[in-house]
């Protein structure tokens, strides 16, 4: 009840006010007070229906949820996605109604931009206001301290709003005083203990929520629980069917992005290539074999950023082989421009697990269980793992795999 009240007054109601504020500001920016009051009211009436649809889109994107506001990535990406959809809705509404006199055209682009900025600022303000407030209290139930890893992650991410009230086990469960409307995180082995489940069933009248520890881990960290993976998990969670329509749309976007990037690559190539060759001998571009979808090997193209392309297994942070020009190219992602060739050829996508070198994959297949499952989808220039971690070691690669599998699952 408290969460619903907070959501309504802190998020939903201000959204409505901000949308109309954005409409007013957009009218000023676009028409410079030249609109008469009658025309302004026509805008208000027309956009009132559009805004009802927009609010539904915001709801679908989870922007009225406290948990979405706790993460910068979720907040920004969900808001961007919602506004893109809302912009399309407005275009369809205004441009495909022959009897509608109001045709905003450029006004729509101004409105979407203004509302995006206003909503982003408001959400950031709310995020700051709810920091370390309105927490969800949870207990950890375990038989042999098997939730220690999860406990460490919860404590390291206090900003997500989860606070551990205590630890429970078979001995302490009967005498424990469980706080109303709290949550209990359960290990997998609890399903084989009917007496424990019976006790938990009695707690349902207190409004207690129960979470499978793997699902809770995944929801909180946005990566899968690698330690608990087995063949059953993949059969239950991964769709191995080809998604034809999705693949067609994705391919179209990749080709379009590849052609646009190709123009930028061609214009900047003479300058970038000259700077690379002036600092160190060797070609400006190089190709390297990588492992793609279904284990197929392909050549990836990049600007050369190192004195040599061989040697260490992984590129480390502050790697001494990286040249000064190469360091700038890497930080600005200019070194990736040449991969427009891969986008057009179709062996690389805009988004997907980052492809690794062949000899690295051969090693990781032996050392990390289910590592090959990341090759179920086409690799990408960037991906969910790249936004969260830079892998320069075996342990970091295991963590990267958790993010890759999360991307594949969802």
């Amino acid at each position: 009840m408290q969460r619903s009240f907070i959501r309504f007054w802190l998020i939903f109601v201000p959204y409505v006010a901000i949308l109309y504020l954005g409409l007013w500001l957009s009218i000023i920016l676009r028409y410079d007070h030249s609109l008469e009051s009658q025309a302004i009211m026509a805008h208000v009436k027309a956009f009132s229906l559009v805004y009802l649809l927009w609010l539904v889109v915001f709801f679908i994107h989870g922007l009225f949820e406290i948990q979405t506001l706790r993460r910068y990535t979720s907040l920004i990406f969900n808001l961007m996605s919602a506004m893109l959809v809302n912009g399309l809705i407005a275009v369809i509404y205004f441009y495909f109604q022959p009897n509608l006199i109001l045709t905003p055209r450029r006004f729509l682009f101004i409105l979407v931009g203004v509302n995006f900025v206003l909503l982003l600022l408001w959400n950031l303000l709310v995020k700051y206001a709810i920091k370390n407030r309105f927490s969800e209290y949870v207990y950890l139930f375990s038989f042999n301290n098997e939730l220690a890893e999860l406990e460490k992650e919860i404590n390291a991410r206090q900003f997500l709003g989860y606070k551990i009230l205590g630890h429970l086990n078979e001995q302490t469960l009967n005498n424990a005083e469980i706080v109303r409307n709290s949550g209990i995180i359960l290990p997998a082995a609890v399903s084989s203990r009917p007496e424990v489940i019976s006790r938990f069933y009695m707690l349902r009248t207190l409004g207690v929520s129960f979470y499978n520890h793997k699902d809770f881990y995944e929801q909180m960290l946005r990566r899968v629980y690698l330690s608990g993976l087995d063949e059953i998990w993949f059969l239950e969670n991964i769709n191995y069917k080809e998604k034809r329509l999705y693949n067609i749309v994705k391919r179209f976007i990749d080709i379009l992005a590849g052609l646009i990037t190709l123009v930028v690559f061609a214009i900047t190539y003479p300058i970038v290539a000259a700077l690379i060759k002036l600092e160190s001998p060797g070609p400006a571009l190089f190709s390297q074999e990588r492992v793609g979808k279904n284990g197929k090997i392909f050549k990836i193209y990049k600007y050369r950023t190192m004195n040599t392309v061989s040697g260490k297994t992984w590129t480390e942070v502050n790697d001494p082989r990286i040249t000064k020009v190469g360091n700038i190219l890497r930080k600005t992602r200019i070194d990736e421009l040449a991969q427009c060739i891969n986008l057009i050829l179709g062996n690389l996508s805009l988004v997907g697990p980052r492809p690794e070198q062949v000899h690295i994959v051969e090693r990781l297949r032996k050392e990390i269980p289910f590592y090959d499952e990341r090759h179920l989808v086409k690799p990408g220039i960037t991906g969910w793992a790249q936004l969260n971690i830079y892998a320069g070691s075996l342990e970091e690669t295991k963590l990267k795999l958790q993010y890759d599998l999360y991307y594949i699952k969802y």
Side-chain angles (χ1 to χ4, degrees), residues 194-211:
E195 67 282 0
V196 175
I197 294 176
S198 296
R199 169 59 178 152
F200 286 144
Y201 188 72
M202 295 172 62
L203 295 175
R204 72 192 189 283
T205 57
L206 296 177
V208 176
S209 301
F210 296 91
Y211 306 99

Side-chain angles (χ1 to χ4, degrees), residues 86-334:
N86 285 338
L88 181 61
I89 288 173
V91 168
I92 294 172
Y93 180 79
F94 286 109
Y95 283 79
F96 291 90
Q97 291 196 46
N99 297 325
L100 192 64
I101 299 174
L102 181 64
T103 53
R105 293 187 175 89
R106 284 178 294 176
F107 180 77
L108 280 179
F109 295 98
I110 297 173
L111 180 72
V112 170
V114 169
N115 276 323
F116 174 77
V117 172
L118 291 176
L119 289 171
L120 179 60
L121 291 174
W122 172 253
N123 282 316
L124 291 175
L125 181 62
V126 174
K127 174 179 169 55
Y128 177 79
I130 66 173
K131 185 179 180 181
N132 299 323
R133 296 180 177 89
F134 316 123
S135 297
E136 183 172 345
Y137 298 101
V138 296
Y139 296 89
L140 299 178
F141 180 88
S142 61
F143 296 104
N144 191 27
N145 200 32
E146 59 264 52
L147 302 186
E149 179 185 350
L150 179 58
E151 180 180 9
K152 180 181 177 182
E153 297 289 358
I154 293 174
N155 290 331
R157 291 167 173 79
Q158 295 287 327
F159 66 92
L160 291 179
Y162 295 106
K163 290 189 177 180
I164 299 174
L165 287 179
H167 298 75
L168 303 173
N169 54 46
E170 286 182 284
Q171 290 72 39
T172 62
L173 180 59
N174 289 330
N175 298 322
E177 294 186 6
I178 306 299
V179 174
R180 282 184 172 274
N181 301 316
S182 58
I184 300 179
I185 304 173
L186 307 174
V190 75
S191 59
S192 62
R193 305 293 181 92
E195 67 282 0
V196 175
I197 294 176
S198 296
R199 169 59 178 152
F200 286 144
Y201 188 72
M202 295 172 62
L203 295 175
R204 72 192 189 283
T205 57
L206 296 177
V208 176
S209 301
F210 296 91
Y211 306 99
N212 175 284
H213 76 290
K214 294 179 184 178
D215 294 337
F216 188 90
Y217 181 98
E218 190 174 297
Q219 175 189 340
M220 183 181 73
L221 300 176
R222 309 296 175 89
R223 63 181 193 240
V224 303
Y225 189 72
L226 189 61
S227 302
L229 290 188
D230 53 22
E231 288 85 354
I232 294 296
W233 185 92
F234 285 95
L235 295 177
E236 292 178 344
N237 292 276
I238 303 299
N239 184 2
Y240 289 88
K241 294 180 180 179
E242 283 290 332
K243 304 173 184 177
R244 293 184 180 180
L245 179 60
Y246 173 82
N247 290 335
I248 290 172
V249 174
K250 199 168 191 287
R251 180 70 182 123
F252 172 77
I253 294 173
D254 289 340
I255 292 174
L256 182 62
L259 292 174
I260 294 172
T261 309
L262 181 62
V263 174
V264 179
F265 171 68
I267 294 173
T268 58
Y269 177 79
I271 298 174
V272 176
L275 291 173
I276 292 171
K277 294 183 71 66
L278 282 173
E279 184 176 11
S280 61
L285 291 176
F286 82 97
S287 63
Q288 190 178 68
E289 288 190 338
R290 298 288 178 98
V291 179
K293 183 179 180 180
N294 298 324
K296 184 178 179 180
I297 297 174
F298 70 98
K299 286 187 176 181
I300 196 172
Y301 300 94
K302 296 181 69 175
Y303 277 119
R304 181 173 60 84
T305 58
M306 296 184 178
N307 289 313
T308 175
V309 295
S310 61
K312 299 179 182 178
T313 305
W314 278 288
T315 303
E316 301 173 352
V317 178
N318 299 322
D319 196 306
R321 297 173 298 165
I322 300 175
T323 63
K324 293 179 180 179
V325 172
N327 189 43
I328 296 172
L329 296 180
R330 282 172 172 266
K331 288 182 176 179
T332 58
R333 303 299 183 190
I334 293 176

Side-chain angles (χ1 to χ4, degrees), residues 381-401:
I381 292 178
T382 188
W384 182 235
Q386 268 58 46
L387 294 175
N388 289 278
I389 185 173
Y390 181 88
S393 66
L394 180 62
E395 289 304 313
E396 290 172 343
T397 302
K398 289 181 180 179
L399 192 60
K400 181 181 176 181
L401 178 61

